[in-house]
Amino acid sequence: MTGLITPVRGLLGARARTYREHLDTVGPLPAVGAEQLVQLVAAAGLTGRGGAGFPSARKLAAVGSRRSPVVVANGAEGEPASSKDRALLIHTPHLVLDGLVLAARAVGCRTAYVYAPESVLDSSIRPALTQRRDRLTITPVPSADTFISGQETAVVAAVQGLRPVPTSTPPPIYVKGVKGRATLVHNVETLAQVALIARYGATWFRERGTDDDPGTRLLTLSGAVARPNVYEVAGGTTLGEAISAAGGALEPIQAVLVGGYHGGWVPWTAHAAQCPLTRTGLSAYEAHPGAGILVALPARRCGLKAAAGLATYLAGQNAGQCGPCRNGLPALAGHLQDLVQRRSPAHNHEEILRLVGTVDGRGACHHPTGTTRMIRTALRTFRNEVELHVAGACTELQGSRKGA
Amino acid sequence: MGTTLLIDWTRCEGRGLCAELLPEVLTTDDWGYPLSIREDRSLEVPPRARRYAEEAIRECPRLALRLLDS
Ligand code: SF4
Ligand code: SF4
């Protein structure tokens, strides 16, 4: 056994390409038992980092009580504006694999999978697997390059060799997942945190962050910020602090897309800048931190045009399975594009509001709900832009700048 | 306590038969897919409509409907 190991600062402090380097950096994997591990994760207050933010210990416990379960590390990261999972898998593959081994131990499972883009499996995960000896079979499964490939039921389908599209629930995958077995799908960042918590403890984890949002989380910042990149911040970090972490705004900005394409547009105001990036902190804006995605929108851009672009992309990413999603999202995107073009703006605006109300929640997965949320928050945040369009104008065409 | 209608959207083909049989809960959207008549879009089945819900479940050609008692 290695002697005293100084705990690393966080996920990004645990960079290591080889297994040797990894052990030197973070220390050996401790021999924690299943029950102890679930208790540790519960005491740490770790929540899922894939977007839904569900308490991780509850997921472990739900699957752990069932026979011959399956565990999957989910690194599909279908969100175009996110790159933290890729960064983590490339720079700290062994930390993620340790987390997978621990989660498997916690639920008593012998079959595990790493689901991630082929390029990441090839350059990082497969080489890492050859360097370690785990008593667990870990199989890499390439993820599809689609927005919804990381939805849990789509992950289950992909692992079984089926088309990676969501399936209808209930039953939930923790009851019936891969080949009918109880299945635990954890985001790769969540697993990496489990690997650190098992080593350094729940108290160490809570040294950073707040009671409401303990520990650290990864953010992907892009758009009009000085240094777009992946950052690790303490839980409870405000929107303003996050933008500052990326070097601040490059030019006047008017809004930030928080939580990715299924997230919410938050107006860049003094009030919003002080909101913690948590579910409660962002509730006034109907936004949520999701997988830690922030995109800053310049003031000179038309917010409606940006939202219409996202809606068109999301409409094209529907899996074609569910009527309201397959028909509703393209219709919504079409009305948004027409509104941007000022074809018959007042009518388009009304139709968008009506369709948002009918499509919401009606599909096998969250794609319709996430898409309508993004559109609803866009109409609210860019209501001045809506009025401009109804009056036949547009910020971008006029080249006029709005005040920040 | 309540009974909710579950729709498997991957199965439903949207001819709207269920909406005809269960107008207490359903109407159809622009494309003929079942849509809650309520403002909050809840699919709760009131006790007096339960037998019609059961009929809709039997008659659905795609076996897309179920009831969930909670
Ligand atoms: S709701 Fe849309 S994206 Fe989700 S499974 Fe159905 S068709 Fe596919
Ligand atoms: S009867 Fe069945 S297939 Fe027809 S619209 Fe209703 S749920 Fe869909």
Side-chain angles (χ1 to χ4, degrees):
Chain A
M1 292 290 281
T2 324
L4 283 175
I5 293 271
T6 322
V8 294
R9 245 322 245 168
L11 296 172
L12 297 184
R15 284 168 188 252
R17 286 307 297 263
T18 66
Y19 194 48
R20 248 329 252 290
E21 212 185 303
H22 169 66
L23 293 182
D24 286 347
T25 311
V26 295
L29 198 58
V32 257
E35 236 170 84
Q36 197 190 347
L37 193 75
V38 177
Q39 279 166 10
L40 265 177
V41 173
L46 179 65
T47 54
R49 302 297 200 235
F54 195 77
S56 307
R58 287 214 337 246
K59 260 174 109 165
L60 285 169
V63 174
S65 59
R66 291 168 200 275
R67 280 184 52 203
S68 51
V70 173
V71 178
V72 187
N74 186 4
E77 202 170 43
E79 280 269 358
S82 182
S83 48
K84 55 114 183 157
D85 289 344
R86 170 177 289 264
L88 204 56
L89 287 166
I90 298 280
H91 297 301
T92 62
H94 289 291
L95 200 62
V96 175
L97 292 173
D98 282 354
L100 185 58
V101 168
L102 289 165
R105 200 188 286 166
V107 303
C109 122
R110 317 181 60 169
T111 323
Y113 299 87
V114 179
Y115 180 67
E118 179 65 36
S119 61
V120 174
L121 295 178
D122 229 33
S123 62
S124 185
I125 296 302
R126 288 196 186 96
L129 285 171
T130 63
Q131 295 166 10
R132 27 191 309 146
R133 268 171 225 16
D134 296 306
R135 257 179 294 170
L136 171 79
T137 319
I138 300 177
T139 312
V141 178
S143 61
D145 185 20
T146 57
F147 188 81
I148 51 165
S149 62
Q151 293 250 3
E152 288 196 345
T153 55
V155 174
V156 165
V159 167
Q160 299 181 102
L162 304 172
R163 188 175 162 230
V165 293
T167 51
S168 195
T169 55
I173 63 162
Y174 68 80
V175 175
K176 198 161 171 272
V178 174
K179 296 182 183 124
R181 293 154 68 182
T183 302
L184 175 72
V185 175
H186 262 328
N187 171 260
V188 292
E189 182 187 341
T190 313
L191 290 172
Q193 293 285 21
V194 169
L196 291 181
I197 291 166
R199 286 179 164 92
Y200 310 136
T203 313
W204 167 85
F205 184 73
R206 285 182 173 274
E207 272 168 18
R208 294 174 75 186
T210 58
D211 283 348
D212 186 35
D213 188 20
T216 59
R217 54 172 66 244
L218 297 179
L219 301 179
T220 310
L221 280 118
S222 63
V225 290
R227 292 188 301 272
N229 207 345
V230 173
Y231 294 90
E232 182 169 9
V233 300
T237 290
T238 64
L239 178 58
E241 288 163 348
I243 297 288
S244 299
L250 258 189
E251 57 176 302
I253 58 177
Q254 59 173 315
V256 181
L257 178 66
V258 180
Y261 286 24
H262 277 176
W265 287 100
V266 176
W268 181 244
T269 59
H271 176 265
Q274 284 175 19
C275 289
L277 294 170
T278 59
R279 246 161 221 280
T280 25
L282 295 165
S283 60
Y285 300 100
E286 206 197 329
H288 63 90
I293 301 159
L294 299 175
V295 187
L297 184 76
R300 65 188 156 81
R301 294 273 312 274
C302 168
L304 285 181
K305 195 169 161 192
L310 299 190
T312 303
Y313 167 82
L314 291 170
Q317 290 290 320
N318 89 74
Q321 303 194 101
C322 314
C325 179
R326 188 178 61 224
N327 296 290
L329 299 194
L332 264 168
H335 281 297
L336 258 167
Q337 293 288 6
D338 286 349
L339 176 60
V340 171
Q341 299 300 324
R342 304 176 308 283
R343 297 234 159 83
S344 108
H347 165 74
N348 291 138
H349 184 225
E350 255 169 51
E351 278 297 279
I352 294 167
L353 291 175
R354 186 181 68 82
L355 286 172
V356 157
T358 57
V359 171
D360 197 357
R362 292 170 66 230
C365 77
H366 287 127
H367 197 50
T369 305
T371 305
T372 50
R373 178 192 297 119
M374 188 281 291
I375 295 173
R376 211 166 33 230
T377 57
L379 292 184
R380 207 158 48 221
T381 298
F382 308 125
R383 57 179 170 268
N384 292 341
E385 198 70 61
V386 174
E387 278 167 27
L388 265 182
H389 282 69
V390 171
C394 168
T395 293
E396 278 187 33
L397 288 180
Q398 295 170 328
S400 69
R401 280 168 191 258
K402 286 188 260 175
Chain B
M1 286 301 287
T3 304
T4 309
L5 188 69
L6 290 184
I7 303 170
D8 181 341
W9 293 108
T10 65
R11 301 187 72 91
C12 169
E13 278 187 339
R15 306 261 157 75
L17 179 64
C18 50
E20 267 172 51
L21 295 173
L22 190 59
E24 293 88 349
V25 179
L26 296 173
T27 173
T28 52
D29 67 12
D30 297 8
W31 305 279
Y33 291 88
L35 174 71
S36 164
I37 56 166
R38 303 199 187 95
E39 186 96 21
D40 67 355
R41 301 285 175 232
S42 121
L43 290 173
E44 205 176 298
V45 180
R48 70 188 153 80
R50 188 179 176 108
R51 45 185 281 243
Y52 303 110
E54 281 164 358
E55 193 186 340
I57 291 168
R58 270 196 312 275
E59 296 296 322
C60 168
R62 298 282 304 151
L63 303 176
L65 299 174
R66 271 188 294 167
L67 283 182
L68 184 74
D69 288 302
S70 59

